[in-house]
């Protein structure tokens, strides 16, 4: 039976108008919540198959991907020690390339999300950016926080670093990725020196092409401004409307 909330439910993944049975929620809603909670836990704890992802990334012809890890020894330590996830264990395989743009694919708090969306998003980014910028070979990072990318970007000497990372799963979405853009990356960069494009998980969230267009506008703005972060605004809509 339809109710007043049906139309709104089509526009959001949030739990709204759940109803009640006596003093509790309906059994269906309780089971839906339990399933969503289990999916979120699985998203956090399931390890990334870095080798399988590397095979898929190689097909994009951006260079042979390199796999690195943070100083966190395993998933448990990664979750308990965020600081270790921000520092690399070994970057000896990461070569200096002096490219315009570098890509880091980080498992973050949802390795499942990275597995599902990394290659599609990276392909869209390549399509949008390839005519203007040179690329460094992609780096796949496990047990990784965003700041781990600063070390990688500095080692590669890229102008702008794009970190694609699995976002913290919630009870509505467990497979979302985000882009963190840092101009002139180096260890010690603050979060205020980055720009974030979040909630990328088509078809329910931001699509790959739209995310890539926003990223392209931010890269152009960062190169003109000489920095990324709070002073850099997304003008992708203005660019599209003026085209």
């Amino acid at each position: 039976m339809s109710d007043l909330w049906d139309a709104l439910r089509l526009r959001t993944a949030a739990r709204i108008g759940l109803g009640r049975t006596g003093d509790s929620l309906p059994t269906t809603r309780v089971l839906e919540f339990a399933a969503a909670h289990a999916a979120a836990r699985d998203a956090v704890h399931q390890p990334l198959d870095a080798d399988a992802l590397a095979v898929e990334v190689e097909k994009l012809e951006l260079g042979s991907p390199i796999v690195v890890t943070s100083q966190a020894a395993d998933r448990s330590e990664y979750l308990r020690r965020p600081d270790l996830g921000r520092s690399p264990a070994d970057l000896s395989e990461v070569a200096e390339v002096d490219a315009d743009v570098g890509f880091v694919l980080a498992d973050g708090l949802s390795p499942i999300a990275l597995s599902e969306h990394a290659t599609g998003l990276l392909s869209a980014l390549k399509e949008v950016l390839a005519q203007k910028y040179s690329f460094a070979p992609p780096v796949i990072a496990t047990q990784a926080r965003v700041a781990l990318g600063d070390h990688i970007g500095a080692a590669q000497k890229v102008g702008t670093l794009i970190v694609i990372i699995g976002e913290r799963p919630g009870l509505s979405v467990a497979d979302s990725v985000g882009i963190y853009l840092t101009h002139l990356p180096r260890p010690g960069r603050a979060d205020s020196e980055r720009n974030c494009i979040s909630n990328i998980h088509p078809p329910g969230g931001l699509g790959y092409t739209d995310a890539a267009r926003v990223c392209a506008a931010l890269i152009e703005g960062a190169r003109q401004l000489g920095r990324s972060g709070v002073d850099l605004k997304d003008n992708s809509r203005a660019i599209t409307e003026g085209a």
Side-chain angles (χ1 to χ4, degrees):
M1 181 177 178
S2 63
D3 59 39
L4 296 174
W5 296 97
D6 284 351
L8 189 55
R9 288 194 187 100
L10 296 176
R11 298 178 176 274
T12 178
R15 286 175 168 75
I16 57 174
L18 299 182
R20 67 179 184 178
T21 300
D23 293 331
S24 183
L25 292 171
T27 301
T28 299
R29 301 305 186 192
V30 173
L31 293 176
E32 289 173 350
F33 181 90
H37 186 257
R41 288 177 60 89
D42 287 346
V44 170
H45 291 284
Q46 181 171 317
L48 176 70
D49 189 339
D51 292 335
L53 181 58
V55 170
E56 295 302 312
V57 171
E58 181 117 36
K59 297 176 183 177
L60 298 179
E61 299 181 346
L62 289 167
S64 296
I66 303 158
V67 178
V68 303
T69 189
S70 74
Q71 292 182 6
D74 52 36
R75 201 67 185 162
S76 176
E77 187 171 54
Y78 169 79
L79 294 172
R80 290 183 288 106
R81 293 285 305 276
D83 57 313
L84 296 181
R86 300 184 184 108
S87 298
D90 180 16
L91 294 183
S92 60
E93 298 297 318
V94 178
E96 179 182 327
V97 291
D98 199 24
D100 295 324
V101 177
F103 300 104
V104 173
L105 312 180
D107 53 2
L109 288 168
S110 181
I112 287 176
L114 190 70
S115 296
E116 291 185 3
H117 300 298
T119 53
L121 179 54
L122 194 56
S123 177
L125 286 165
K126 176 186 175 183
E127 183 175 351
V128 171
L129 300 175
Q131 291 186 355
K132 295 185 67 173
Y133 305 112
S134 60
F135 301 137
V139 177
I140 298 170
T142 63
Q143 316 298 7
R145 304 278 175 172
V146 173
L148 180 62
D150 294 334
H151 298 266
I152 297 168
Q156 290 183 318
K157 288 197 173 180
V158 296
T160 306
L161 182 72
I162 297 171
V163 176
I164 301 172
I165 190 167
E167 295 184 311
R168 184 188 304 274
L171 295 175
S172 297
V173 178
D175 63 345
S176 178
V177 295
I179 290 174
Y180 285 82
L181 182 149
T182 308
H183 190 61
L184 301 179
R186 56 173 172 75
R189 286 292 192 196
D191 289 340
S192 60
E193 296 176 286
R194 315 184 199 283
N195 294 84
C196 178
I197 308 166
S198 65
N199 201 38
I200 305 168
H201 59 97
L206 186 64
Y208 302 144
T209 300
D210 288 338
R213 287 173 178 164
V214 174
C215 189
L218 289 173
I219 292 174
E220 183 175 348
R223 291 168 68 89
Q224 293 175 357
L225 191 64
R227 60 187 180 277
S228 53
V230 295
D231 293 329
L232 176 62
K233 307 303 179 185
D234 169 25
N235 64 349
S236 57
R237 181 173 299 178
I239 291 174
T240 301
E241 291 174 351

